[in-house]
């Protein structure tokens, strides 16, 4: 990952060796140009950094790299999501929870047949706990009931 920043002024990011070749069609570059050669054209490597850990109430976007101690470092911007965005994310997560709950219910429908060789009461209780799953308050930290022994 590189940046085009002659005189420490960002012109283009990200910038690739292919971009350098396109921008300088009359110049022949080696397959793997050195950092010193790239610097002659105002191209510098950018040190990658980890994306900040945030929860769903925030968004992370890549910002322009920062010049730190003579080297370019990848930077991130963390912003708070709007109330509408948060509500949509929560609604989507509840939809995922309901979908998983429905799949778990469908997978054990057979336990409710009159001739199923299982503890019908335990399975009925489990299925009720699955139906009640949406009474929990945090769709990102669902506590799923334990599946009874078959």
């Amino acid at each position: 990952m590189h940046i085009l920043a002659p005189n420490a002024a960002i012109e283009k990011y990200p910038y690739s060796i292919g971009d350098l070749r396109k921008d300088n069609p009359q110049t022949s570059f080696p397959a793997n140009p050195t950092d010193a050669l790239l610097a002659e054209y105002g191209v510098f490597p950018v040190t990658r950094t980890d994306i900040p850990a945030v929860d769903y109430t925030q968004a992370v976007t890549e910002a322009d790299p920062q010049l730190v101690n003579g080297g370019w470092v990848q930077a991130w911007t963390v912003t708070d999501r709007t109330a509408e965005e948060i509500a949509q994310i929560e609604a989507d997560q509840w939809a995922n929870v309901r979908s998983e709950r429905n799949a778990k219910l469908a997978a054990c429908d057979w336990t409710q047949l009159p001739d199923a060789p299982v503890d019908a009461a335990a399975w009925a209780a489990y299925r009720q706990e699955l139906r009640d799953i949406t009474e929990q308050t945090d769709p990102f930290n669902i506590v799923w009931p334990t599946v009874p022994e078959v």
Side-chain angles (χ1 to χ4, degrees), residues 56-57 81 83-98 137-140:
Y56 70 98
T57 64
R81 294 186 190 272
E84 293 80 18
E85 290 171 324
I86 293 170
Q88 184 61 56
I89 291 168
E90 289 173 345
D92 292 346
Q93 184 62 21
W94 276 119
N96 292 338
V97 168
R98 283 189 296 280
T137 58
D138 184 355
F140 296 96

Side-chain angles (χ1 to χ4, degrees), residues 33-53:
T34 64
D35 287 346
L37 176 61
L38 294 173
E40 291 177 25
Y41 291 86
V43 178
F44 303 94
V46 176
T47 302
R48 292 185 184 270
T49 60
D50 292 333
I51 297 174

Side-chain angles (χ1 to χ4, degrees), residues 61-131:
T61 54
E62 187 174 5
D64 283 339
Q66 302 296 309
L67 191 56
V68 178
N69 297 326
W72 290 96
V73 179
Q74 187 178 31
W76 303 96
T77 301
V78 176
T79 55
D80 291 331
R81 294 186 190 272
T82 65
E84 293 80 18
E85 290 171 324
I86 293 170
Q88 184 61 56
I89 291 168
E90 289 173 345
D92 292 346
Q93 184 62 21
W94 276 119
N96 292 338
V97 168
R98 283 189 296 280
S99 178
E100 185 173 349
R101 184 261 329 260
N102 293 346
K104 289 177 183 289
L105 282 168
C108 65
D109 279 348
W110 66 273
T111 64
Q112 300 307 291
L113 296 172
D115 61 344
V118 296
D119 180 346
W123 279 95
Y126 168 73
R127 291 170 59 82
Q128 187 58 54
E129 289 175 25
L130 287 174
R131 288 186 195 93

